Amino acid sequence: MHHPQLLQQLQDVVGQNHIITNKKKSQRYRFGWRTGGGAAFAVVKPQTLLLLYQALQVCVNHQAIIIMQAANTGLTEGSTPNGDDYDRPIVIINTLAMDQVYLLEQGQQALSFPGATLFSLEKVLKPIKRSPHSVIGSSCLGASVVGGIANNSGGALVKRGPAYTEMALFARVDEQGELQLVNHLGIELGETPEEILSNLMTGNFAKDDLTPSDAQCSDKEYQQRVRQVDENSPSRYNADPRRLFEASGCAGKLAVFAVRLDTFAVAEQEQTFYIGTNDPLVLGRLRRDILQQYEHLPEVGEYLHKDIFDISAKYGKDTFLSVKHLGTDRLPKLFALKARVDAICKSLPFVSAHLSDWVMQTASRFFPQHLPARILQYRAKYDHHLILKMSEQGIAEARAHLATFFTEQEGAFFECDTQETAAAVLNRFAAAGAAMRYHTLYQKDVGELLSLDIALRRDDIDWLEALPEALQDQLEMKLYYGHFFCHVFHQDYILKKGADPVKVKNSMLKLLNKRGVKYPAEHNVGHLYAAEQSLKEFYLTLDPTNTFNPGIGKTDKTQRNCSCQH
């Protein structure tokens, strides 16, 4: 589609160097981290919040579709176009250049711009011994703070629940088709969009002794909720109406400029316990004991089945070594470089589109064994693995309980030293990317990769699924891992060659529905899942004209009627 006026006005706002219209150059913005993608009229990369607002205004004036995007690390295709069946030109607005973070209330809270990553927030907080809602241990590298809020992301930290705030600065298109800037940060920034955004960009606002507010900047009810192990509903999932509020859970139906979030004190003392068993019910009993009886909740409780342990150990080895030796700061840039290399390879004849994966996998084989001996011994002995991290007084509590528990239950545990702790966490961290790497390297020999992100009922002791033989016969491999105490699991299925992925997925979802499982749990409905009715209604209140991210949750992609005068 040709829209010369739209293009010219966008260029006038952000500059020609910050707009991409070439299909090859825009590919990594138009296609998802794993799957999905489509055509777009342009990719726009504003360098300031004010230019972002002005670019939005141009798009609204031309009734263009707006897809907000930060790191594009999502797993459900939610920050890219979905096919080519839209009724208006699509403009992808990438926010990574706007990555400022301000500390508020002596570091008790943080204010994050749309391009700030979890890595950058963690780095800002480290000197004052505070941490963000999520830390390394999630499934994606370089994920943005605002992306986590927009997607109700959970993460590995048991005490903190879904990413959530009721204090944000955002733009929306109202019922009359007019762009509005809404300041619910609880910070005085001025009256007009120009005043508000200019003051925010320059830091010209009070950062301490702010006006008290009842608005939450984290899920303060979650610790009580996760302990309620006799409830027949999940502790957290993407479409939970309790945690849908403006920017929180908006899934790109708003343009979020900034969010205000709580930060958390870093524990002075931590200890990791590595647990193994061959009976999944043992872990189910242990979970109930810990959540009901312990005075102090765990910091982390990460589960791995032996099969994903093996895949991660072999096909996630380069990620493991990169984090260990290069640190997390450099990883987003390395993975951005990989994305650019992959895009170039796709355009070259007789060159594998996944050349970088082959190179990195081959290189990792020349490095010595990276997992400690005791962890490997547990892998040889046990099918089910749990990484339990306790802090402060909870350490002695877990030490005493586990010693007694495993005198009566099948399995064992040991206390990790520093090296074992780092290795256990990194092997879990590399799991999602490792599953994808395996599928990438052997996709000629196997079928599709089906990834499900599920939240079990809190009262479900018999948590490990049992698939009927007819469905099992369609699978090459099942890979289970997740956040055990929250009962949130990532389940990757590599299908056999020739298996129908649509039929297999539908069969999987029917089984999950019978078990009272909610999905997705923390990665947004994207374009892979149908939104529940309550979630559709939430989207409609945010975006009545269907300007932002249309089609999300398998909703309608077409423009809704408005009294637009543009």
Side-chain angles (χ1 to χ4, degrees):
M1 291 185 288
H2 299 285
H3 301 274
Q5 288 187 327
L6 172 59
L7 179 59
Q8 184 61 57
Q9 290 181 25
L10 287 171
Q11 289 175 342
D12 291 343
V13 168
V14 303
Q16 192 167 355
N17 292 337
H18 300 299
I19 293 183
I20 304 172
T21 55
N22 180 279
K23 287 185 178 180
K24 289 183 180 179
K25 292 181 179 179
S26 67
Q27 183 167 319
R28 68 189 184 97
Y29 301 94
R30 295 186 294 104
F31 285 81
W33 192 60
R34 277 189 174 177
T35 58
F41 173 71
V43 176
V44 179
K45 303 167 72 176
Q47 300 299 291
T48 71
L49 297 179
L50 186 55
L51 294 179
L52 167 58
Y53 185 79
Q54 292 170 350
L56 290 171
Q57 188 66 72
V58 170
C59 292
V60 172
N61 290 345
H62 288 271
Q63 298 186 39
I65 287 170
I66 301 166
I67 297 180
M68 302 299 298
Q69 179 189 93
N72 194 20
T73 57
L75 302 180
T76 57
E77 308 178 9
S79 56
T80 63
N82 174 246
D84 302 324
D85 57 340
Y86 293 86
D87 61 339
R88 293 154 286 163
I90 297 173
V91 177
I92 298 171
I93 300 184
N94 186 279
T95 63
L96 282 182
M98 296 160 284
D99 60 357
Q100 180 68 48
V101 173
Y102 290 107
L103 296 184
L104 308 176
E105 303 290 15
Q106 294 82 41
Q108 302 291 308
Q109 292 185 330
L111 188 150
S112 173
F113 283 17
T117 65
L118 284 170
F119 289 125
S120 62
L121 178 55
E122 191 175 0
K123 189 175 181 179
V124 169
L125 292 172
K126 188 174 183 180
I128 60 171
K129 296 184 178 180
R130 307 284 295 181
S131 66
H133 164 270
S134 299
V135 296
I136 187 170
S138 301
S139 56
C140 298
L141 290 162
S144 70
V145 176
V146 167
I149 291 293
N151 296 333
N152 288 125
S153 296
L157 300 175
V158 178
K159 298 177 181 179
R160 299 183 192 175
Y164 181 73
T165 187
E166 296 169 0
M167 306 189 85
L169 174 68
F170 58 89
R172 67 185 295 266
V173 176
D174 65 16
E175 289 79 357
Q176 287 71 45
E178 299 293 337
L179 186 67
Q180 298 177 333
L181 186 67
V182 181
N183 180 13
H184 286 170
L185 286 172
I187 300 172
E188 177 55 45
L189 293 166
E191 298 297 327
T192 68
E194 290 74 20
E195 288 177 333
I196 292 170
L197 297 174
S198 296
N199 285 327
L200 193 58
M201 289 187 298
T202 58
N204 183 28
F205 57 91
K207 300 174 183 63
D208 298 312
D209 300 318
L210 296 169
T211 303
S213 171
D214 293 332
Q216 294 188 50
C217 293
S218 62
D219 187 348
K220 298 183 184 299
E221 302 165 355
Y222 187 72
Q223 293 191 27
Q224 178 184 0
R225 184 174 178 82
V226 78
R227 287 185 182 274
Q228 296 168 343
V229 295
D230 292 318
E231 296 294 322
N232 64 355
S233 60
S235 57
R236 58 178 170 87
Y237 64 100
N238 177 264
D240 187 348
R242 295 172 53 254
R243 289 298 172 253
L244 298 175
F245 187 88
E246 296 180 344
S248 296
C250 72
K253 300 299 281 184
L254 300 171
V256 182
F257 286 73
V259 292
R260 182 172 165 183
L261 302 167
D262 289 334
T263 68
F264 304 87
V266 173
E268 294 289 334
Q269 185 180 11
E270 291 185 332
Q271 177 61 55
T272 297
F273 300 85
Y274 199 94
I275 298 165
T277 181
N278 288 308
D279 183 355
L281 290 178
V282 168
L283 291 186
R285 297 181 196 111
L286 178 62
R287 171 181 168 272
R288 288 181 65 88
D289 281 359
I290 289 175
L291 293 179
Q292 285 184 306
Q293 299 174 18
Y294 282 26
E295 181 181 352
H296 306 282
L297 282 174
E299 297 291 332
V300 171
E302 289 296 289
Y303 168 78
L304 292 97
H305 184 268
K306 65 175 183 178
D307 292 339
I308 189 61
F309 182 108
D310 292 345
I311 290 292
S312 187
K314 183 173 182 179
Y315 297 96
K317 187 176 180 180
D318 59 308
T319 298
F320 181 109
L321 295 173
S322 296
V323 175
K324 180 178 180 180
H325 296 295
L326 298 178
T328 57
D329 285 351
R330 299 181 185 179
L331 287 187
K333 291 183 179 179
L334 288 176
F335 276 75
L337 175 61
K338 178 185 181 301
R340 286 194 290 271
V341 171
D342 289 344
I344 293 171
C345 289
K346 287 179 182 178
S347 66
L348 297 176
F350 311 112
V351 175
S352 170
H354 306 291
L355 179 62
S356 64
D357 288 286
W358 284 105
V359 170
M360 289 188 291
Q361 186 61 35
T362 301
S364 70
R365 296 173 184 169
F366 293 95
F367 287 84
Q369 175 57 253
H370 58 297
L371 296 177
R374 284 203 292 182
I375 291 179
L376 291 173
Q377 289 167 5
Y378 265 52
R379 163 59 193 94
K381 191 174 182 180
Y382 298 114
D383 289 352
H384 305 283
H385 300 246
L386 181 66
I387 304 164
L388 174 66
K389 183 179 287 188
M390 304 296 298
S391 64
E392 316 300 4
Q393 297 95 327
I395 297 172
E397 197 172 19
R399 184 177 289 137
H401 173 255
L402 291 174
T404 302
F405 183 85
F406 281 108
T407 61
E408 303 172 350
Q409 303 286 343
E410 187 273 333
F413 76 98
F414 67 85
E415 295 190 32
C416 297
D417 60 25
T418 303
Q419 180 189 8
E420 290 166 333
T421 294
V425 171
L426 283 177
N427 194 49
R428 161 63 185 93
F429 170 71
M436 187 176 176
R437 167 71 59 78
Y438 177 88
H439 182 260
T440 296
L441 297 182
Y442 298 104
Q443 59 184 289
K444 291 183 179 179
D445 305 314
V446 299
E448 296 288 331
L449 171 63
L450 171 62
S451 296
L452 296 180
D453 164 35
I454 68 171
L456 304 188
R457 304 189 323 266
R458 284 170 281 174
D459 66 349
D460 196 347
I461 300 177
D462 191 9
W463 55 273
L464 187 65
E465 72 176 5
L467 297 175
E469 186 175 348
L471 192 53
Q472 181 70 45
D473 288 343
Q474 301 294 307
L475 305 178
E476 189 78 28
M477 192 178 296
K478 299 180 298 184
L479 303 172
Y480 299 147
Y481 51 104
H483 315 308
F484 193 70
F485 291 95
C486 300
H487 252 194
V488 167
F489 291 87
H490 305 292
Q491 301 188 168
D492 292 339
Y493 306 91
I494 298 177
L495 278 55
K496 289 183 178 178
K497 196 75 173 178
D500 186 330
V502 175
K503 289 183 178 179
V504 171
K505 182 178 180 179
N506 288 339
S507 297
M508 292 282 188
L509 297 184
K510 286 181 182 178
L511 291 174
L512 294 175
N513 292 339
K514 288 181 180 179
R515 294 172 60 195
V517 172
K518 290 288 190 179
Y519 49 85
E522 58 184 5
H523 284 153
N524 195 294
V525 290
H527 289 285
L528 298 184
Y529 299 91
E532 296 183 1
Q533 185 59 35
S534 59
L535 187 57
K536 290 180 182 178
E537 292 171 359
F538 175 64
Y539 292 160
L540 182 60
T541 63
L542 298 181
D543 182 28
T545 64
N546 212 19
T547 295
F548 289 96
N549 214 7
I552 198 80
K554 297 188 180 296
T555 56
D556 186 20
K557 292 180 177 179
T558 57
Q559 185 178 28
R560 296 192 191 98
N561 291 331
C562 67
S563 54
C564 307
Q565 301 298 319
H566 305 304

